[in-house]
Amino acid sequence: MTPLSPIRTTFETMRAGNAERRIRFGLGERRAALDRLASVMRANEKAIVEAVRSDLGRPEAETILIDYLTVLQDIRHARRRLHAWMRPRRVAPTFATFGASGKVIPQPRGTCLIISPWNLPFCLALSPLVSCLAAGNAAILKPSEVTPASSALIARMIAAAFPPDLVSVIEGGKEVAEELLALPFDHIFFTGSPAVGKIVMAAAARNLTSVTLELGGKSPVIVGEGADIERAADWIVFGKFLNAGQVCIAPDHLFVHVSIKDRFLSALRARIAKAYGTAAASENLCQIVSDQHASRLSALIADALEKGADPVHDNGGEGRTRGPLLLQGITPEMLLDQEEIFGPILPILPFDDLSPVIDRINARDKPLALYIFDRDQARIDRIISQTTSGGVGINLTVVHYTQANLPFGGVNTSGIGAAHGEWGFRAFSHERAILQNRFLALPLLFPPYDRHKMRLIGLIKRVLG
Ligand code: NAD
């Protein structure tokens, strides 16, 4: 008999524990698991900051905000709400089931796979783990190979906090991910690009494994004529240049009403100078993750400039150090108008009529986020009702991610399913339908279908038909 690979062995051991976990991994044990995750996070706060600095050159404040506190907040939220989330939900009887009581009980799916990207290496591996453990599952985590220091630290933290048959980290790139995806997991939670999302979904289909896909895309911002210009500039600069634009819900491109364009551009420039200075390098700005991604961004910029884009503001930069860049004169032929930018470049598209902006958004892949800056509620409502996106931020950017009482996720190309809070718990649960007979009258209709039963069916038809 050929020996099982280490990956297969880890998976089989976890899966063998599924039945036992259903009995033993109750409310108290799940809370204890969440507490262990919180403790190991706290014990490694400095190490997390250093790992992300080494991988991404990111300022400490940003790491604390987006890779550390986000996870601790998710743990706190889940810990407090878990009892309510785990409770069976009674449902009202229907006509045919009068006399039987129905309820929905959330049960653990079993052994789950979490694949995460490099841009928020801790948050995007560990926040799904919070939901996964809260729902009573075991998990294999596969962090991104693009951020090796973070991946190695996640592996050490998890090994210190959990037995390997509850949570294990398997490090590696595409080959490792492919080997994992061939296994019949009970659920796969993938965060990453739409291109790899399709590969994950195709692999999951071979085992009919359920999936949650948290993907990306081009999230637009609309700055309407009624916008508070200073406030809009503040939020847009924060949301766009946080993590140097390497955020799935970062504003990708911006539509601004022509009547306020010049004033708004001045406010953007002033805000950029205040936050990041006028040079490419700033202690407040994260770096580009790798030379390969830096080359991709340089190619996007070169292509746009060659095709006539106008740099209305540029902090410049080379290699992995890239300052904020605002570009105007964008056309559909430019690559940065076609692919997700995922970097500190913001294309500005002036408009005077909202209808073509709405048509343009609807003609493209459904975005993960859509941002609106305006004080005119009718215009805000019109944009929301006439477009679609995973989520909407009004007079803010990116912080909707941290509202754990809202579902977080995309639509079609930007994602399938939802994460965070109760939605994350439900993604990792099977909602099992239970119907228990008390005094169901249905046997009165069981065959043989004689005259009396036909008369009864006739009476019911009169009520229901
Ligand atoms: P990616 O899709 O390249 O990689 C994500 C993960 O998939 C990594 O762990 C990687 O090793 C793995 N992977 C790569 N090739 C694979 C394959 N062939 N089969 C299986 N797994 C494979 O994404 P990335 O570059 O790490 O991250 C950037 C993307 O992620 C952007 O599109 C961004 O918008 C998106 N994103 C989405 C969210 C969200 O919550 N919706 C959050 C962050 C990032």
Side-chain angles (χ1 to χ4, degrees):
M1 213 169 75
T2 40
L4 293 180
S5 73
I7 289 181
R8 179 105 214 182
T9 307
T10 306
F11 170 76
E12 293 296 354
T13 314
M14 271 184 190
R15 197 159 66 149
N18 278 358
E20 179 75 3
R21 238 178 287 110
R22 273 197 202 105
I23 305 164
R24 308 233 177 275
F25 205 27
L27 178 65
E29 291 75 16
R30 295 184 199 183
R31 279 188 175 148
L34 294 176
D35 289 344
R36 284 205 298 281
L37 185 57
S39 301
V40 82
M41 290 283 297
R42 289 192 195 99
N44 283 280
E45 179 188 336
K46 288 269 170 302
I48 291 171
V49 168
E50 284 317 312
V52 178
R53 201 193 301 283
S54 143
D55 284 332
L56 277 147
R58 191 202 284 157
E60 176 175 356
E62 282 189 6
T63 297
I64 295 292
L65 285 174
I66 65 179
D67 255 314
Y68 181 73
L69 292 177
T70 43
V71 181
L72 287 178
Q73 190 202 240
D74 284 347
I75 293 173
R76 186 183 151 101
H77 183 81
R79 232 194 151 284
R80 290 191 170 177
R81 307 283 196 292
L82 192 51
H83 182 54
W85 297 345
M86 286 173 71
R87 256 200 307 255
R89 285 198 319 274
R90 296 227 160 262
V91 297
T94 55
F95 188 85
T97 61
F98 190 76
S101 63
K103 64 183 174 189
V104 181
I105 56 166
Q107 286 197 319
R109 286 187 182 274
T111 297
C112 303
L113 173 63
I114 297 172
I115 300 183
S116 56
W118 51 262
N119 62 327
L120 275 69
F122 288 87
C123 170
L124 297 173
L126 301 180
S127 280
L129 180 64
V130 171
S131 302
C132 183
L133 290 171
N137 301 281
I140 291 183
L141 300 188
K142 209 295 285 163
S144 173
E145 72 285 11
V146 179
T147 38
S150 302
S151 173
L153 179 57
I154 291 171
R156 286 199 299 278
M157 283 165 50
I158 293 298
F162 299 107
D165 61 345
L166 182 61
V167 190
S168 277
V169 174
I170 302 213
E171 291 189 83
K174 183 169 167 278
E175 287 70 29
V176 165
E178 280 168 358
E179 190 179 342
L180 285 164
L181 285 172
L183 299 172
F185 279 94
D186 297 303
H187 189 70
I188 298 174
F189 189 106
F190 171 81
T191 308
S193 59
V196 178
K198 288 178 191 169
I199 296 172
V200 170
M201 194 157 172
R206 284 197 282 278
N207 293 311
L208 289 179
T209 295
S210 54
V211 289
T212 304
L213 303 177
E214 294 285 334
L215 310 178
K218 292 178 80 63
S219 298
V221 190
I222 302 174
V223 183
E225 56 210 286
D228 174 333
I229 290 177
E230 294 301 325
R231 182 150 83 136
D234 250 12
W235 277 99
I236 290 163
V237 167
F238 170 69
K240 178 69 202 185
F241 301 109
L242 178 74
N243 211 32
Q246 303 167 113
V247 174
C248 57
I249 43 172
D252 178 271
H253 52 287
L254 181 148
F255 301 96
V256 57
H257 196 268
V258 282
S259 64
I260 58 162
K261 190 194 86 179
D262 291 343
R263 276 188 297 140
F264 175 67
L265 279 179
S266 303
L268 271 189
R269 283 194 201 96
R271 193 68 193 87
I272 289 172
K274 186 173 167 200
Y276 309 110
T278 49
S282 160
E283 60 182 19
N284 298 318
L285 189 63
C286 180
Q287 291 186 332
I288 307 306
V289 68
S290 66
D291 292 335
Q292 192 199 337
H293 280 270
S295 308
R296 183 185 65 81
L297 290 175
S298 301
L300 286 187
I301 297 169
D303 171 79
L305 295 177
E306 198 178 296
K307 291 173 181 159
D310 170 22
V312 285
H313 177 94
D314 189 4
N315 277 30
E318 63 181 302
R320 292 181 54 202
T321 305
R322 206 322 123 201
L325 168 63
L326 308 179
L327 289 170
Q328 258 198 142
I330 306 301
T331 61
E333 294 73 39
M334 295 175 185
L335 292 175
L336 57 65
D337 196 49
Q338 296 162 18
E339 48 182 88
E340 182 180 6
I341 295 174
F342 224 59
I345 310 165
L346 183 63
I348 311 275
L349 298 109
F351 73 94
D352 57 7
D353 178 8
L354 203 50
S355 297
V357 172
I358 289 173
D359 291 347
R360 197 190 123 112
I361 291 170
N362 288 334
R364 296 179 174 220
D365 287 343
K366 295 167 188 167
L368 184 57
L370 171 70
Y371 301 109
I372 308 166
F373 286 87
D374 212 320
R375 277 174 291 208
D376 183 315
Q377 195 58 45
R379 236 180 347 248
I380 294 171
D381 292 343
R382 176 181 166 204
I383 296 168
I384 294 173
S385 65
Q386 295 183 6
T387 60
T388 180
S389 66
V392 177
I394 300 160
N395 296 322
L396 56 81
T397 58
V398 304
V399 286
H400 62 293
Y401 181 89
T402 64
Q403 173 36 300
N405 291 315
L406 286 174
F408 182 83
V411 228
N412 301 123
T413 47
S414 54
I416 292 177
H420 293 186
E422 187 169 4
W423 282 271
F425 171 85
R426 289 169 77 165
F428 282 101
S429 302
H430 167 58
E431 302 201 87
R432 198 168 185 194
I434 317 281
L435 189 67
Q436 184 161 1
N437 191 355
R438 308 260 179 232
F439 46 88
L440 270 175
L442 219 63
L444 293 176
L445 298 178
F446 287 175
Y449 301 117
D450 55 24
R451 227 162 21 89
H452 303 294
K453 283 174 189 162
M454 289 314 289
R455 198 175 310 135
L456 208 50
I457 290 173
L459 278 173
I460 297 170
K461 248 167 55 184
R462 251 186 265 161
V463 177
L464 290 183

